[in-house]
């Protein structure tokens, strides 16, 4: 929406510091605020919810603490860098623990595979399934490292503002077989169907279909080996709260219950935001940590967009949705690991139902999170905190979550009770369910997608919504829907890109 400068309250003219408004306090928004404040901007974060975190919000119920979303911390150096920019040491504020194993993977037949960063332990388990694949695993990890060096070390923090930026990397991507899918690349090294699942499920953690997502995402395997998989004492919420204290120490203001209705523009430039309350906040730059489809389709609905039009958004492909059941138990389950992947009877068929057919299947695969395995303080004494997450279709399908949520939860509960949480249905102390409807209405996620745009080859790098908006000057994007993509490292890296594209604060004063 275009407005005259005189209409915007709180004009930035005449202030000592340039003003940046950040929409949303997820990891992307908080990281952006740290970096902008360190560069001399006065920063205001406006958050729709009543507390920080976005997808990393924390639910408190009946003495139990539930991390709403991200629970896996890799590449901790990205967080350490933010703390350094804020003038503090990460280790002084956050107690990060290395997980061993990273994940316990349970197949439908009851067999388990403990996946870790110890190559010898992993190979010993592979040998039990398929001795011939031990050599293939070493070759796969060598390829994962090569992809990591280009895809993460060289490109994750580079803004793909121009098509030439994309064309420049095409030869490297071709050599690394980025035209293949993750599952296809894994299968070229591994023959056993179970080990193929172990090495290809990672894209599901960032909203990607292993059978269609570009194989550049095999870099996750080496990223995990290099830096490990960690969890924070106090849960992921402890990191969010640590970031909030960090940015408040920089002088940044965070306003909660402040939903943005419109991004204000004048002469093709972002000039501030209008809240749902009608209040307008002037800014020199605006950073959106909101789904790009919502940023462009709703917050700039009346702006004459040239690339991210409503038609372009409608024809884009979005990630899967998420069903998450948060529950606390009256007893503890000490044999259950911090991170458990429970694979269902089908792999490719289930994923096809989720991503292609948009059909809620009878079977499911689950990620079970038990943070009290590491930090008992997240539940009352003698109890456990859990969440069970199932990839499901986004709202582009026909699932009526208003009627399906409880039957689906009951199926998940029975399955867990019959497998690794015996007697669960009689041990529930508290319970909360979220579905793609919550992602749509609470988190402003288009189609209730859990991870914004699906990370397909033609929706990556330059083809993804740019960190520096193609539509409006002085508007910038961070978060899962822009470059480099979803996942905590990707989202924090999207804020790192801002150092390359946001002008120096002195140019606005």
């Amino acid at each position: 929406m275009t407005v005259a400068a005189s209409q915007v309250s709180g004009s930035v003219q005449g202030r000592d510091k340039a003003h940046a408004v950040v929409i949303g306090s997820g990891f992307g928004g908080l990281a952006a605020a740290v970096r902008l404040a360190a560069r001399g901007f006065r920063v205001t974060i406006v958050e729709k919810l009543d507390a920080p975190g976005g997808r990393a919000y924390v639910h408190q119920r009946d003495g139990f603490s539930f991390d709403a979303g991200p629970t896996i911390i890799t590449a901790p150096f990205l967080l350490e860098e933010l703390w350094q920019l804020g003038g503090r040491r990460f280790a002084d504020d956050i107690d990060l623990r290395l997980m061993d194993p990273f994940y316990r993977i349970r197949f439908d037949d009851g067999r388990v595979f403990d996946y870790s960063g110890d190559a010898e332990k992993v190979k010993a388990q592979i040998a039990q399934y398929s001795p011939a694949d031990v050599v293939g695993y070493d070759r796969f990890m060598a390829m994962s490292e090569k992809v990591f060096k280009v895809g993460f070390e060289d490109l994750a923090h580079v803004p793909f503002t121009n098509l030439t930026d994309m064309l420049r990397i095409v030869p490297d991507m071709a050599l690394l077989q980025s035209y293949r899918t993750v599952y296809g690349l894994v299968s070229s090294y591994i023959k056993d169907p179970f080990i193929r699942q172990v090495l290809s499920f990672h894209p599901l953690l960032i909203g990607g279909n292993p059978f269609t997502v570009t194989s550049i995402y095999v870099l996750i395997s080496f990223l995990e080996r290099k830096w490990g998989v960690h969890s924070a004492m106090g849960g992921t919420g402890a990191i969010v709260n640590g970031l909030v204290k960090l940015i408040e120490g920089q002088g940044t203001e965070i306003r909660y219950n402040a939903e943005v209705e419109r991004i204000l523009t004048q002469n093709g430039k972002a000039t501030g935001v209008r809240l749902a309350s009608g209040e307008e906040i002037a800014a020199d730059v605006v950073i959106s940590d909101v789904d790009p489809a919502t940023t462009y389709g709703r917050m700039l609905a009346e702006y004459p967009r040239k690339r991210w039009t409503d038609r372009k958004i409608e024809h884009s492909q979005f990630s899967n949705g998420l069903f998450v059941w948060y529950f606390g138990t009256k007893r503890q389950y000490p044999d259950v690991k911090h991170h458990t992947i429970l694979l269902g009877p089908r792999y490719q068929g289930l994923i096809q139902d989720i991503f292609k057919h948009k059909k809620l299947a009878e079977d499911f695969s689950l990620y079970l999170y038990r943070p009290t395995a590491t930090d008992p303080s997240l539940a009352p004494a003698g109890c456990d905190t859990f969440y069970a997450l199932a990839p499901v279709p986004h709202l582009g399908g026909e699932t009526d979550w208003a009627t399906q949520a409880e039957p689906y939860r009951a199926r998940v509960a029975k399955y867990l009770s019959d497998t690794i949480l015996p007697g669960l249905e009689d041990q529930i102390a508290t319970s909360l369910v979220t579905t793609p409807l919550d992602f749509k209405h609470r988190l402003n996620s288009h189609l209730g997608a859990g991870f914004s745009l699906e990370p397909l080859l033609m929706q990556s790098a330059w083809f993804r919504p740019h960190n520096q908006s193609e539509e409006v000057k002085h508007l910038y994007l961070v978060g899962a829907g822009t470059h480099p993509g979803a996942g905590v490292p990707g989202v924090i890296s999207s804020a790192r890109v801002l150092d390359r594209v946001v002008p120096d604060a002195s140019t606005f004063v």
Side-chain angles (χ1 to χ4, degrees), residues 149-289:
K149 288 182 179 298
V150 175
F152 188 84
E153 291 187 337
D154 294 345
L155 302 178
H157 314 122
V158 175
F160 283 84
T161 305
N162 301 305
L163 183 57
T164 52
D165 298 329
M166 186 72 183
L167 296 176
R168 195 177 297 120
I169 70 166
V170 167
D172 286 339
M173 292 295 97
L175 287 173
L176 295 172
Q177 304 179 49
S178 63
Y179 52 87
R180 303 186 73 161
T181 68
V182 165
Y183 189 81
L185 188 63
V186 169
S187 297
S188 70
Y189 296 104
I190 302 295
K191 303 307 176 187
D192 183 83
F194 291 101
I195 306 305
R196 285 178 174 179
Q197 292 181 57
V198 169
L199 297 178
S200 68
F201 79 86
H202 287 90
L204 290 166
L205 301 177
I206 57 170
N209 176 347
F211 295 92
T212 59
V213 67
T214 168
S215 64
I216 194 171
Y217 287 97
V218 301
L219 67 81
I220 297 174
S221 294
F222 185 78
L223 182 150
E224 288 182 338
R225 177 189 283 188
K226 182 176 178 65
W227 285 300
V229 169
H230 302 80
S231 290
M233 298 298 285
T236 307
I239 300 176
V240 171
N241 292 332
L243 282 167
V244 168
K245 292 177 181 177
L246 191 70
I247 62 180
E248 287 178 341
Q250 293 176 297
T252 290
E253 176 188 11
I254 306 181
R255 297 181 55 180
Y256 301 110
N257 300 303
E259 182 174 7
V260 172
E261 182 180 74
R262 288 286 184 270
I263 295 172
L264 305 174
T265 65
Q266 183 182 17
N267 299 326
K269 296 180 181 179
T271 59
V273 297
R274 174 183 296 144
L275 304 183
S277 65
E279 178 186 355
E280 295 179 350
I281 305 173
D284 296 291
V285 296
V286 175
I287 293 84
S288 178
D289 186 27

Side-chain angles (χ1 to χ4, degrees), residues 43-61:
V43 182
T44 302
I45 298 177
V46 285
E47 168 57 55
K48 173 184 176 180
L49 302 179
D50 61 353
R55 283 169 170 75
Y57 185 93
V58 177
H59 299 288
Q60 303 283 354
R61 292 175 70 93

Side-chain angles (χ1 to χ4, degrees), residues 80-192:
E80 292 167 357
E81 183 180 58
L82 293 175
W83 257 257
Q84 290 170 3
L85 289 170
R88 294 188 59 82
R89 289 182 69 250
F90 178 73
D92 290 341
D93 294 339
I94 305 296
D95 182 0
L96 209 60
R97 303 287 177 93
L98 179 66
M99 298 290 98
D100 186 19
F102 295 165
Y103 322 97
R104 169 160 287 176
I105 300 167
R106 183 187 187 277
F107 299 107
D108 192 57
D109 64 6
R111 290 187 294 172
V112 299
F113 192 108
D114 284 343
Y115 184 79
S116 72
D118 187 322
E120 295 307 313
K121 287 183 179 179
V122 171
K123 287 192 286 186
Q125 291 178 92
I126 290 174
Q128 295 176 17
Y129 285 81
S130 175
D133 282 330
V134 172
V135 173
Y137 170 72
D138 281 333
R139 293 174 57 223
F140 166 74
M141 288 303 300
M143 172 59 87
S144 176
E145 182 177 5
K146 290 178 182 178
V147 178
F148 167 85
K149 288 182 179 298
V150 175
F152 188 84
E153 291 187 337
D154 294 345
L155 302 178
H157 314 122
V158 175
F160 283 84
T161 305
N162 301 305
L163 183 57
T164 52
D165 298 329
M166 186 72 183
L167 296 176
R168 195 177 297 120
I169 70 166
V170 167
D172 286 339
M173 292 295 97
L175 287 173
L176 295 172
Q177 304 179 49
S178 63
Y179 52 87
R180 303 186 73 161
T181 68
V182 165
Y183 189 81
L185 188 63
V186 169
S187 297
S188 70
Y189 296 104
I190 302 295
K191 303 307 176 187
D192 183 83

